[in-house]
């Protein structure tokens, strides 16, 4: 049964770069592994969720004793991805650079279907383990009672991978893996590592240790993982010696294998075609919706313009009516004032004629007559004098 680990990453591209570098097999669910970076980025940007966690990382490691090929392991990883991350793009990479085969599943944090984020917690980890166990049982793989680590990564190392920095322990693992394939004993390995990689190797009774050329302290093989212990390396050397004694049968016409490879490529093409069709339908639907919204907005804009135009016309008519009423009122008041002035002028003429008739009949000068009238109208001599002066002015004008 495969061992499952679950982590998350804030930089999807760097995680994909790390997984791609040593992948012997690769596949994708809801994506093409050749364009997975662009597809995942497009989904995150489409739903405006580019910050925080960008991808989740599932490591599915198989027992070294399991009789499983890289292609079979990749197929199990793809089936696992379909079950644990529906609606998400998932890239599946199979590594064979260690004694055990293992898959790296990179899950986009955002669903391309509804924009929901993938939940990575203990409950999800247990769910992934159960799904993986079911698939392994179907394949007839061994059940692992206790967890193992053929390749041991510390949390600090994983952070370095996420930042895209170089791992010195991983360089040791790569060099040791190479040395195991080209040597037949621990002593041969010691010389090989020194000559080819400048790596020191210390062989003890129960353990082996290695010194990176840029470090000052040795690191035990067990710290690097179970594949790098003294017993594991000696076991590998023994397997190589046995393999050299077995005859090699050359396959002249791998017809069945070739057909399987063609079928696998066709399946990937159909899968990618389905992804493109889904994306096209989704984009087409959104485009139609946007066009419909724009049409509604244009209709609302035209209606608003019409309403404003009618309002302005109404306001203009009302202003014209008010102006007309004001002009009529002003004309009327001007006419009334003109009539009043005419009456005042006529009254003045009548008063002057009246005063002159009085003066002629009494044979008294007009000024004396006016003064007398003023005195009679006033209550005192001063009041009479004032009225006299007023009447005098009127008769002169």
């Amino acid at each position: 049964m495969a061992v499952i680990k679950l982590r998350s990453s804030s930089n999807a591209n760097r995680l994909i770069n790390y997984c791609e570098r040593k992948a012997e097999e690769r596949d994708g669910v809801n994506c093409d592994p050749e364009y997975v970076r662009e597809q995942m980025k497009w989904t995150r940007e489409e739903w405006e969720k580019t910050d925080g966690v960008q991808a989740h990382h599932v490591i599915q490691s198989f027992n070294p004793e399991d009789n499983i090929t890289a292609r079979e392991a990749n197929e199990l990883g793809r089936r696992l991805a379909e079950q644990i991350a529906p609606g998400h793009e998932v890239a599946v990479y199979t590594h064979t650079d260690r004694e055990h085969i293992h898959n790296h599943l990179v899950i986009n944090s955002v669903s391309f279907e509804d924009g929901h984020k993938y939940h990575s917690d203990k409950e999800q980890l247990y769910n992934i383990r159960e799904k993986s166990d079911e698939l392994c049982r179907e394949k007839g793989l061994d059940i692992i009672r206790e967890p193992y680590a053929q390749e041991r990564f510390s949390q600090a190392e994983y952070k370095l991978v996420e930042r895209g920095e170089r791992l010195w322990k991983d360089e040791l693992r790569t060099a040791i893996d190479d040395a195991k394939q080209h040597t037949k004993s621990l002593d041969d390995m010691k010389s090989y590592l020194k000559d080819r990689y400048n790596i020191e190797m210390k062989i003890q009774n129960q353990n082996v240790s290695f010194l990176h050329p840029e470090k000052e302290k040795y690191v035990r093989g067990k710290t690097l993982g179970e594949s790098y212990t003294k017993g594991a390396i000696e076991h590998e050397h023994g397997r190589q010696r046995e393999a050299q004694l077995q005859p090699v049968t050359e396959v002249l016409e791998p017809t069945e294998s070739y057909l399987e490879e063609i079928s696998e490529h066709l399946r990937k093409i159909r899968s990618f075609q389905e992804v493109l069709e889904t994306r096209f339908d989704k984009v087409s639907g959104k485009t139609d919706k946007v066009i419909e919204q724009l049409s509604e907005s244009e209709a609302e804009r035209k209606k608003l313009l019409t309403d404003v135009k009618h309002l302005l016309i109404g306001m203009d008519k009302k202003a014209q009516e008010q102006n007309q009423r004001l002009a009529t009122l002003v004309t009327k008041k001007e006419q009334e004032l003109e009539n009043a002035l005419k009456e005042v002028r006529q009254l003045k003429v009548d008063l002057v004629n009246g005063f002159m008739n009085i003066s002629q009949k009494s044979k008294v000068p007009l000024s004396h007559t006016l003064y007398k009238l003023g005195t009679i109208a006033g209550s005192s001599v001063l009041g009479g004098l004032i009225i006299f002066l007023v009447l005098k002015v009127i008769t002169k004008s």
Side-chain angles (χ1 to χ4, degrees):
M1 205 69 63
V3 174
I4 297 295
K5 296 179 182 179
L6 177 62
R7 297 187 175 99
S8 60
S9 172
S10 59
N11 193 317
N13 285 348
R14 286 176 181 170
L15 178 58
I16 292 172
N17 290 342
Y18 171 77
C19 296
E20 278 186 338
R21 191 165 61 243
K22 299 179 180 180
E24 181 170 328
E25 296 286 342
R26 64 189 68 191
D27 200 351
V29 176
N30 298 320
C31 65
D32 186 330
E34 298 298 326
Y35 309 101
V36 63
R37 295 178 184 81
E38 293 78 7
Q39 287 184 252
M40 289 187 175
K41 181 181 178 182
W42 187 87
T43 296
R44 294 192 298 270
E45 290 179 347
E46 180 187 12
W47 293 101
E48 298 180 353
K49 295 182 179 180
T50 57
D51 298 331
V53 175
Q54 293 186 350
H56 298 274
H57 185 193
V58 176
I59 304 175
Q60 183 186 32
S61 302
F62 299 94
N63 192 321
E65 301 300 326
D66 285 334
N67 185 21
I68 185 173
T69 65
R71 178 174 296 179
E72 290 171 340
N74 189 265
E75 174 63 18
L76 286 176
R78 186 185 64 81
R79 292 176 60 189
L80 177 62
E82 291 176 344
Q83 296 185 25
I84 66 174
H88 290 259
E89 294 108 339
V90 186
V92 183
Y93 303 95
T94 303
H95 289 192
T96 59
D97 56 323
R98 303 287 180 257
E99 184 176 348
H100 69 291
I101 294 178
H102 56 281
N103 289 326
H104 293 270
L105 281 65
V106 181
I107 306 172
N108 197 8
S109 61
V110 180
S111 168
F112 65 86
E113 289 184 344
D114 53 21
H116 290 167
K117 281 211 160 189
Y118 190 84
H119 293 290
S120 176
D121 50 25
K122 287 186 178 181
E123 184 177 353
Q124 183 68 292
L125 175 60
Y126 295 145
N127 175 58
I128 296 173
R129 285 175 176 170
E130 289 180 0
K131 299 296 185 183
S132 177
D133 289 349
E134 292 176 3
L135 294 173
C136 288
R137 288 192 188 97
E138 293 179 7
K139 189 67 177 176
L141 303 181
D142 293 335
I143 298 177
I144 300 174
R145 298 300 181 185
E146 298 294 334
Y148 70 94
Q150 300 295 327
E151 168 185 302
R152 183 173 296 172
F153 281 91
S154 66
Q155 189 65 23
E157 285 184 275
Y158 192 77
K159 291 296 183 183
L160 291 175
V161 170
E162 187 173 326
R163 292 198 300 267
E165 298 182 15
R166 184 168 59 91
L167 296 179
W168 65 272
K169 287 184 180 179
D170 202 31
E171 291 178 348
L172 282 179
R173 295 184 186 101
T174 302
I176 296 169
D177 288 340
D178 177 54
K180 284 192 293 186
Q181 302 298 322
H182 294 86
T183 59
K184 298 179 181 179
S185 66
L186 292 176
D187 291 331
D188 288 346
M189 174 179 282
K190 182 177 180 179
S191 301
Y192 186 89
L193 289 174
K194 178 63 177 177
D195 296 340
R196 191 174 184 85
Y197 296 101
N198 196 27
I199 294 175
E200 299 287 348
M201 179 178 175
K202 184 163 55 176
I203 304 172
Q204 299 171 316
N205 291 335
Q206 301 295 329
N207 303 305
V208 289
S209 301
F210 305 91
L211 178 63
H212 191 279
E214 297 179 3
K215 299 296 178 179
E216 297 179 355
K217 292 184 178 181
Y218 280 84
V219 59
R220 283 190 175 185
K222 187 175 182 180
T223 303
L224 299 176
E226 292 297 328
S227 295
Y228 307 97
T229 62
K230 183 177 181 180
I233 295 174
E234 289 178 332
H235 177 70
E236 178 66 21
H237 284 150
R239 289 178 57 183
Q240 290 184 14
R241 287 192 293 270
E242 291 178 1
Q244 290 178 353
L245 297 177
Q246 296 177 357
V248 178
T249 303
E250 182 179 2
V251 180
L252 299 178
E253 297 182 0
T255 306
E256 184 176 353
S257 175
Y258 178 76
L259 291 176
E260 289 179 358
E261 184 176 354
I262 294 298
S263 299
E264 180 67 13
H265 283 297
L266 290 176
R267 186 194 62 76
K268 290 182 178 180
I269 293 173
R270 284 195 297 268
S271 176
F272 184 54
Q273 182 179 0
E274 291 175 358
V275 171
L276 291 179
E277 290 176 353
T278 302
R279 287 295 181 86
F280 177 79
D281 293 340
K282 185 177 179 181
V283 172
S284 178
K286 286 193 172 184
T287 303
D288 294 340
K289 186 175 181 180
V290 170
I291 293 175
E292 182 180 352
Q293 290 176 347
L294 290 175
S295 300
E296 292 176 355
S297 300
E298 179 65 15
E300 291 177 358
R301 186 185 69 85
K302 289 182 178 180
K303 184 177 182 300
L304 180 61
L305 289 176
T306 302
D307 293 342
V308 171
K309 183 178 180 181
H310 290 165
L311 179 61
L312 293 175
I313 292 174
M315 292 175 63
D316 187 51
K317 287 184 178 179
K318 189 174 182 180
Q320 289 179 359
E321 291 175 358
Q322 289 180 348
N323 292 337
Q324 185 65 32
R325 286 197 296 270
L326 182 61
T328 303
L329 181 60
V330 169
T331 302
K332 182 179 179 181
K333 294 298 182 181
E334 288 178 348
Q335 187 65 39
E336 291 177 354
L337 181 60
E338 182 65 26
N339 294 335
L341 289 175
K342 287 182 179 180
E343 292 178 359
V344 169
R345 293 191 191 99
Q346 185 62 42
L347 179 61
K348 184 184 71 171
V349 173
D350 293 342
L351 285 174
V352 173
N353 290 336
F355 291 151
M356 292 184 68
N357 289 335
I358 293 172
S359 178
Q360 289 176 359
K361 289 180 180 181
S362 62
K363 297 182 180 180
V364 178
L366 179 60
S367 59
H368 289 181
T369 302
L370 295 175
Y371 178 74
K372 287 283 185 178
L373 291 172
T375 302
I376 295 171
S379 59
S380 65
V381 175
L382 179 58
L385 180 59
I386 292 173
I387 293 175
F388 164 71
L389 293 174
V390 172
L391 294 174
K392 187 79 170 177
V393 171
I394 292 174
T395 55
K396 285 184 177 181
S397 60

